[in-house]
Amino acid sequence: MAENRRESRRQSGEPAQREALIAAGGQIDLARFREEADRIRQAGGLLIAADRGLEAFCALREAPDIAVGDFDSVSSEALAWYTGCEGFRLERHRPEKDQSDTELAFETAREAGVKRLTLMGATGTRLDHTLSNIHLLKTAEDLGLHCILLDGNNRIRLVSGRTVFYRERDRYPYISFLPLSEEVFPITLTGFRYPLKEYHMVLGAESTRCVSNEIEQEEAVLDFSSGLLLAVEAND
């Protein structure tokens, strides 16, 4: 199946992959995962499994285009199922390595010409892994990749300047902005329920000033010129 997709792209003369979905080893809402996988597949994008992310593809009974990692946390049942699959590339790495499996997937996507990434399975019960994956948003930006983390309740992305949010198009009623740098300034929020003008955010207690806002107008604008912010959109 994956090989057929790649062959059809070669025959049509389409350019290299520009968008990819990466499944990591955390909790994955399978309904949302199916939705994103279908969307990216239909757009001719790349499906990548990072180590235990293979389990999510196995649950859908579909092989990714590429699987990377040491696969030390993948069930024997999933590995046995993929042994009989064709049309996808498996890159096995040693467990003793400097990069995480998700970082390896990022590098694989970049080498394939991808510019936009959706990462699922990046959040879950392991808070250390969740925080580490959130910081990978900065790694993605340094690689020239636009990345979002997606789960059943949240969309998390890194913003580094003026950003427009749309009430009708976005499915998330709540939005928070949290610093990923020591300072972020001057923050101006327009079109939100709680507007703000030229606020100087400092990492720490003052960060709560931009938690749990809502888009009130058809378009809402976040504007700032220095620092890095996490935009956390939530549906609960």
Side-chain angles (χ1 to χ4, degrees):
M1 184 181 300
E3 182 61 34
N4 291 338
R5 291 198 300 273
R6 288 194 291 272
E7 182 61 30
S8 65
R9 287 194 292 268
R10 285 195 294 267
Q11 291 174 354
S12 64
E14 292 180 12
Q17 307 286 351
R18 305 301 292 179
E19 187 170 7
L21 170 64
I22 294 176
Q27 294 176 341
I28 292 182
D29 181 294
L30 288 178
R32 191 72 193 276
F33 183 64
R34 166 64 81 184
E35 178 184 327
E36 285 299 308
D38 287 347
R39 179 184 66 81
I40 288 178
R41 184 192 307 113
Q42 290 167 9
L46 197 64
L47 302 179
I48 303 174
D51 198 70
R52 198 156 65 96
L54 266 175
E55 302 277 358
F57 286 102
C58 184
L60 299 184
R61 284 298 186 262
E62 179 176 349
D65 294 295
I66 305 170
V68 298
D70 52 44
F71 305 108
D72 59 350
S73 57
V74 179
S75 69
S76 58
E77 292 80 9
L79 285 176
W81 188 78
Y82 279 105
T83 300
C85 293
E86 297 180 355
F88 83 101
R89 188 171 88 236
L90 189 146
E91 299 177 359
R92 188 183 291 271
H93 296 258
R94 293 182 302 173
E96 301 80 15
K97 57 187 185 301
D98 294 330
Q99 292 175 294
S100 70
D101 295 317
T102 305
E103 285 179 293
L104 291 172
F106 275 24
E107 186 63 28
T108 298
R110 186 188 65 80
E111 291 174 353
V114 167
K115 294 299 182 182
R116 300 179 65 83
L117 282 175
T118 298
L119 175 60
M120 300 189 71
T123 59
T125 58
R126 284 290 299 269
L127 184 58
D128 53 344
H129 287 178
T130 298
L131 290 173
S132 175
N133 288 330
I134 287 173
H135 281 88
L136 281 179
L137 291 171
K138 180 60 167 60
T139 299
E141 182 175 85
D142 292 342
L143 290 172
L145 305 172
H146 173 75
C147 182
I148 64 170
L149 308 187
L150 197 65
D151 62 28
N153 297 302
N154 305 282
R155 179 170 65 184
I156 306 169
R157 50 182 160 152
L158 182 66
V159 291
S160 55
R162 188 179 190 274
T163 307
V164 181
F165 300 86
Y166 303 91
R167 185 172 64 181
E168 294 301 324
R169 191 176 71 185
D170 295 330
R171 66 174 75 188
Y172 303 93
Y174 306 106
I175 184 166
S176 298
F177 300 109
L178 299 166
L180 201 63
S181 57
E182 187 69 28
E183 298 178 285
V184 185
F185 61 89
I187 299 174
T188 296
L189 300 176
T190 55
F192 292 88
R193 181 174 183 182
Y194 305 108
L196 202 59
K197 185 173 178 60
E198 297 185 352
Y199 178 64
H200 191 129
M201 179 183 287
V202 178
L203 187 65
E206 294 183 25
S207 304
T208 60
R209 183 75 176 272
C210 293
V211 170
S212 198
N213 212 327
E214 300 174 44
I215 298 175
E216 193 166 71
Q217 299 179 14
E218 292 304 315
E219 294 185 4
V221 179
L222 158 73
D223 207 355
F224 65 100
S225 58
S226 181
L228 295 171
L229 273 179
L230 289 173
V232 182
E233 297 162 277
N235 59 21
D236 63 352

